[in-house]
Structure formats: C-alpha cells, structure tokens
Amino acid sequence: MKFGLAVTAIAIAFVAPANADQLADIMARKELRCGTYADVPPFSAPDPKTRELVGFDVDLCKGIAKRWGVEAKITPLSVEARVPEVKLGRVDLTIANLAYTLSRAEQIQYSDPYYVAKEMLAVKASDPSTSKADFKGKRLASTKGSTSELAIKLNGSEPLTFQDTGSAFMAVQQNKAIGMVANTMTITKLVNESKTRGVELKMIPEPMVLQPTGIGMKKDEPALLAKVNETLKAMDDAGEINAAWDKWLGPNTEFKMTRTDKVTPLSQLKFDPIP
C-alpha cells in the first residue's frame, strides 16, 4: 500500500507542471513580468534622467498590471530574444512591437492585435511612381534581417541591407538604392527630416506589407490568453491605449501618427501573413 501511494505521489509530481496555470502564478506572486525592448524608442528605452525604461510598450504593460491588481516588472530584451524569452517562461508577456509572423506563431501564442503595423516605402520626392508594384526588380534599402528586408523580397525587389536605418537612408541619398523600406513611424520621421537635409523623400501610400501587432505569451495557456484579450479590449474601450499611443507616437510627437485601429481578433483581419 505504501509503495502504491509513493508511485501515485510521483505521478502527481510529474503531472502537476503540465497543468500549471500561468495566470494563476502571476496572480499568486502579485507580479506581471513583461519583456520589452532594451533600447528602441518610443516603445521602450531608458529615460535619460532616471534610466528607467519608458515608452508605449512599458505603459501598456503597466496598464495591464494595474487592471490585474499586480506589480509590473519590466525586463529589457534584445530584438532576437523577444520570442525565446517568453517561450521559455522567463517573462510572462512579450510587449515589444511584436508583429505576427507564421514562424513566430508556431512558437508562441499571440493576443488579439492592438494595432496593425505597416512596412512602408520611401523614395525621392521627384520619383513619379505611386505603387509598390512600380518597384519590382528595383534596388531598395533596409536594415539587415528585418521584416523590412523580407517585405522587399516579397515585392520582387532587390534588397540592399545595412545595420541601421540611418545607413539605409543615406543609401537613397547617395543613389545606391532607389528607395528604402521601414515601419511607418521610421519612414514618417525620415521623410520629415529629408525636408531640411539632403534630397527630399516621399512615402508611397500603399503599404509593402501589413503586420498585426500583439502581445506574445507561451502556448497552451488559455486562461492567460483570454485574460490578456479581455484586458486589451477593456483598455481600448476606455481610451487607455489611445492615450498611451498619443503620448509616445501621436500627432504632437516627432512621429505624428494617429491610431485608427481597434483591438480585433486576428481571424477578423485580412492580411497576408509573413512567413
């Protein structure tokens, strides 16, 4: 009998972790661990005075934690670590401008997107072209290993890659590339800057690709996923996401972007997923 009880206890010990509930763990420890960018403003970057991480993604994490009645613990992550760290359970949520791709979705679970990012193309203002199709076969600059580079390839264009967007910008200025691709906020900023330095650029209105952006978490955590989606919807309805957006990316910032998106289930969005 004692042997049977021992075997049963061992079996329970092995089964328990598989049935662990990450949301319950968060509530029990009274702490929500959010992985954000280490230094990518305006999403998450050190404040020059306090050195604490601040930005849109930081405010989003703090807003979720407040609604859950727990403390927000912000962990800085590199771009490459955003998926592995949440997959391994070292952070509960990755809130770091995490665009949906098929390869990422195989590894982690996505929340409902809270905005749809766009990869945009900037070319010289004198260029008569108006659509991305006009640039098939043309050389376009981007940062290396980015979704911008992938967007160029998906368009049938030739990528010329660099380590940073500043170098990609200069490639267009120096006629090494006919245009450059980056996210909307970066392109908007560079187009505005080009009006006072170098050759003026314009943004092609048609997006190169659409990228629904949401919160990443471990797979097979249905309670956590449902709670995150419920909270994002409540924050959106209350205007909290728009308030954070306007603070960091809105019309009165250098990015001058207006958020028109609403929290929407991924299944309701029409887009071609990036591999």
Side-chain angles (χ1 to χ4, degrees):
M1 181 65 69
K2 289 182 180 179
F3 178 77
L5 289 174
V7 171
T8 302
I10 293 172
I12 292 173
F14 277 104
V15 170
N19 294 331
D21 184 334
Q22 195 167 3
L23 177 61
D25 292 343
I26 293 167
M27 295 305 188
R29 79 171 95 96
K30 299 290 185 181
E31 181 182 77
L32 175 64
R33 303 170 303 173
C34 293
T36 65
Y37 281 127
D39 191 5
V40 181
F43 299 105
S44 178
D47 182 278
K49 295 180 180 179
T50 66
R51 305 309 300 167
E52 291 185 4
L53 290 175
V54 296
F56 174 74
D57 290 336
V58 175
D59 284 359
L60 196 55
C61 174
K62 289 181 177 179
I64 293 171
K66 182 178 179 181
R67 282 181 170 266
W68 292 4
V70 300
E71 292 293 321
K73 179 183 178 182
I74 310 298
T75 300
L77 301 177
S78 66
V79 174
E80 296 82 3
R82 291 178 298 169
V83 170
E85 288 297 293
V86 75
K87 184 179 177 182
L88 292 169
R90 292 173 181 159
V91 296
D92 300 308
L93 305 177
T94 289
I95 308 179
N97 197 33
L98 191 66
Y100 180 92
T101 70
L102 294 177
S103 61
R104 289 172 181 168
E106 289 178 353
Q107 303 176 66
I108 62 172
Q109 177 67 57
Y110 270 86
S111 73
D112 293 339
Y114 49 87
Y115 89 99
V116 179
K118 303 174 181 68
E119 291 293 331
M120 304 301 293
L121 169 63
V123 299
K124 291 181 178 179
S126 58
D127 195 311
S129 301
T130 58
S131 72
K132 66 180 184 180
D134 296 330
F135 296 91
K136 286 186 177 180
K138 304 290 180 65
R139 180 178 292 177
L140 303 176
S142 73
T143 52
K144 185 176 180 62
S146 63
T147 48
S148 303
E149 179 184 356
L150 187 55
I152 292 171
K153 294 177 180 178
L154 291 173
N155 193 57
S157 303
E158 178 188 349
L160 178 64
T161 60
F162 299 90
Q163 291 300 317
D164 55 78
T165 53
S167 298
F169 174 81
M170 289 307 300
V172 182
Q173 295 286 320
Q174 297 168 356
N175 296 314
K176 295 178 181 177
I178 198 169
M180 69 168 289
V181 177
N183 59 57
T184 306
M185 60 202 69
T186 298
I187 290 297
T188 300
K189 181 180 179 181
L190 292 175
V191 167
N192 288 336
E193 290 179 358
S194 74
K195 295 176 182 177
T196 56
R197 69 182 181 100
V199 179
E200 185 174 354
L201 304 181
K202 69 176 182 179
M203 183 166 63
I204 299 298
E206 181 185 10
M208 295 288 280
V209 294
L210 298 177
Q211 297 177 287
T213 300
I215 295 173
M217 66 203 86
K218 287 180 71 173
K219 281 182 172 289
D220 302 318
E221 292 288 348
L224 180 60
L225 175 62
K227 186 69 171 179
V228 169
N229 285 339
E230 173 192 307
T231 305
L232 283 175
K233 180 69 166 57
M235 291 174 68
D236 200 16
D237 291 345
E240 294 173 31
I241 298 179
N242 277 346
W245 181 277
D246 288 346
K247 176 182 176 182
W248 297 103
L249 299 116
N252 294 324
T253 69
E254 62 182 319
F255 303 101
K256 304 186 185 308
M257 296 176 63
T258 299
R259 178 177 179 265
T260 57
D261 301 305
K262 300 293 289 182
V263 173
T264 306
L266 196 65
S267 61
Q268 295 181 15
L269 295 178
K270 295 181 179 179
F271 71 105
D272 295 319
I274 292 176

